[in-house]
Amino acid sequence: MSDTYQEWASRVPGAVLWTSSPDPGGPGRPVLPDGCMDLIWSEGRLFVAGPDTLAHHTGVDRGRRFAGIRFAPGTAPAYLGVPAHELRDRRVELTDLWRGVDARRLTERIDAAVDPAAELEAAAVRIAGAAPPPDPLLAHVVAALDAGRSVRETAEAAGLNARALHRRSLAAFGYGPKTLARVLRLQRALALARAGVPFAETAARAGFTDQAHLARDVRDLTGLTLTRLV
């Protein structure tokens, strides 16, 4: 048996809803850095997965059901009311971020739902609707970096100096723009490689110097080889 994982577009703009039922005896699916933050339910728990700088392995929770909503980069801090850098590389119970009674009631409601993923999404829609909208400038920053623009070019296009862009990136994404660019480049490379593009061509199209550079970055960020990930 292998992990059962599904994802689909959420009613929260730019977000993805997903479910997972890991196989207790399987090798597991590493969670790779992607610039996002997730609100995750798992059988009596409701917690936030902060932005990762390295692959995260979920072995201790294998065998449990999960449902999560993955917010687009830069949006979760506005919805949840906490700067992203405070949650970097962490999994934090929602009771530690919100009033305990509110978080517990929400967890109980999702626990009791026939479809926990749908109830989680409904909660996320309410949370997003009640929060100030994310700064639209952040979406432009993500788009520019994901298109391979340099940090300098991205800052200039956003009308910011490098220091201001770094400060706003820490709060929105959990790390500076250079790290975000590296994470987005990794995701571009994985998408190409999984689509069957040869690794050398993947490296060139994703913005790496060469295939060796791609291999080093993949291993640094995930602890695995590109072949293993694909």
Side-chain angles (χ1 to χ4, degrees), residues 30-33 52-58 89 91 186 218-224 229:
V31 179
L32 305 181
D52 290 321
T53 58
L54 300 170
H56 176 78
H57 298 272
T58 58
D89 293 320
R91 272 56 182 161
L186 168 72
V218 168
R219 187 175 288 279
D220 286 348
L221 289 170
T222 73
L224 300 170
L229 287 172

Side-chain angles (χ1 to χ4, degrees), residues 122-165:
V125 169
R126 292 193 298 270
I127 292 167
D135 186 347
L137 181 67
L138 301 174
H140 293 299
V141 169
V142 173
L145 293 174
D146 198 27
R149 297 279 186 86
S150 69
V151 172
R152 180 183 59 79
E153 291 171 331
T154 300
E156 289 176 353
L160 300 171
N161 60 39
R163 180 174 297 180
L165 177 60

Side-chain angles (χ1 to χ4, degrees), residues 37-105:
M37 293 171 57
D38 294 54
L39 178 62
I40 301 173
W41 168 87
S42 179
E43 301 179 23
R45 291 185 65 201
L46 196 57
F47 62 98
V48 177
D52 290 321
T53 58
L54 300 170
H56 176 78
H57 298 272
T58 58
V60 295
D61 290 324
R62 298 191 57 72
R64 299 168 65 96
R65 290 183 301 153
F66 290 84
I69 183 160
R70 182 179 307 118
F71 298 105
T75 60
Y79 299 150
L80 302 177
V82 58
H85 65 83
E86 293 187 6
L87 303 180
R88 183 174 55 240
D89 293 320
R90 299 177 62 197
R91 272 56 182 161
V92 179
E93 302 296 324
L94 194 63
T95 51
D96 293 335
L97 303 177
W98 288 4
R99 288 197 314 166
V101 63
D102 293 338
R104 285 193 295 273
R105 286 174 179 168

